[in-house]
Amino acid sequence: MFLAVTLACATSDTDRTSEVTQRGTYTVWYRGPEIDAELGYRWADGHLGDEWLILKLSLVGTGTRVERRSIRIRTPDAHTLPLLDQREFRRTYGKLRIGLDRSYAWELPTGSFAGSREPCGQWFLVPPGQFLATSALFLSSARVCTGPLVFQVPIGVQPGRWVLMIDLEESDVRIPFVLGG
């Protein structure tokens, strides 16, 4: 199944168009004026009702800064939840570890970032004992930054349309995906 949706994103210079494409059952590809992103949500779709929404995100950009505080999720009932902070991530890592490990094993690469790109070695949420978490990523077209996104969902992960939101300096990234559908 191949579905393309075009969304308008306002930028400070001019209006540009972003493209959101469903690639496979559990992967959404976003191409925008500042970043390209691949969002995997297979684990989340299989774990409705869980307290934790676990997603996998890969990012590429051209000199773009993405801050941790700019990443949020909009639930099907229109509530906005922040990305889990590093302190809480480490505190709850024991509960999250199996989901994180399996979400990575289950996410199939689509080849969207094929080529000579290197992994960037930084991310917002880092397991205990690994490198330091960052509060901001500086994206480059020469490297791919990949990692988990974890959101605490007090009423449990519900079926419906979710939207990953990333507010950048010049544009707002909106990546919709549907769970349980």
Side-chain angles (χ1 to χ4, degrees):
M1 171 194 213
F2 183 78
L3 170 69
V5 179
T6 302
L7 304 170
C9 285
T11 66
S12 61
D13 299 326
T14 181
D15 285 343
R16 292 188 183 173
T17 301
S18 299
E19 181 181 332
V20 177
T21 307
Q22 184 75 39
R23 290 197 176 170
T25 306
Y26 304 106
T27 304
V28 177
W29 172 252
Y30 170 90
R31 292 189 66 111
E34 292 184 86
I35 67 169
D36 291 343
E38 183 179 68
L39 177 67
Y41 58 92
R42 184 174 181 184
W43 176 264
D45 191 70
H47 289 83
L48 299 176
D50 283 6
E51 176 184 8
W52 306 100
L53 175 70
I54 299 174
L55 305 170
K56 179 183 176 188
L57 183 67
S58 297
L59 297 169
V60 170
T62 52
T64 305
R65 178 183 169 104
V66 178
E67 296 191 31
R68 169 199 301 273
R69 69 175 184 248
S70 72
I71 301 173
R72 298 162 298 149
I73 196 88
R74 187 170 55 225
T75 67
D77 61 356
H79 286 89
T80 301
L81 305 171
L83 180 64
L84 196 64
D85 69 37
Q86 180 62 26
R87 183 177 301 147
E88 184 66 12
F89 180 74
R90 287 203 174 170
R91 191 182 72 72
T92 59
Y93 185 74
K95 294 179 191 177
L96 297 169
R97 184 171 162 243
I98 291 173
L100 290 164
D101 290 347
R102 290 189 179 161
S103 71
Y104 266 75
W106 288 10
E107 299 299 338
L108 302 173
T110 64
S112 300
F113 295 118
S116 62
R117 294 188 174 105
E118 298 288 325
C120 74
Q122 295 180 313
W123 197 250
F124 302 109
L125 301 172
V126 179
Q130 291 190 12
F131 58 88
L132 297 176
T134 186
S135 61
L137 290 174
F138 296 93
L139 301 179
S140 154
S141 61
R143 61 186 194 161
V144 179
C145 293
T146 300
L149 297 180
V150 180
F151 302 89
Q152 186 172 17
V153 184
I155 63 168
V157 176
Q158 301 299 311
R161 185 177 186 268
W162 294 72
V163 180
L164 177 65
M165 303 183 301
I166 305 171
D167 297 332
L168 302 174
E169 188 172 314
E170 296 184 17
S171 63
D172 294 331
V173 174
R174 300 296 183 256
I175 307 173
F177 60 99
V178 177
L179 297 180

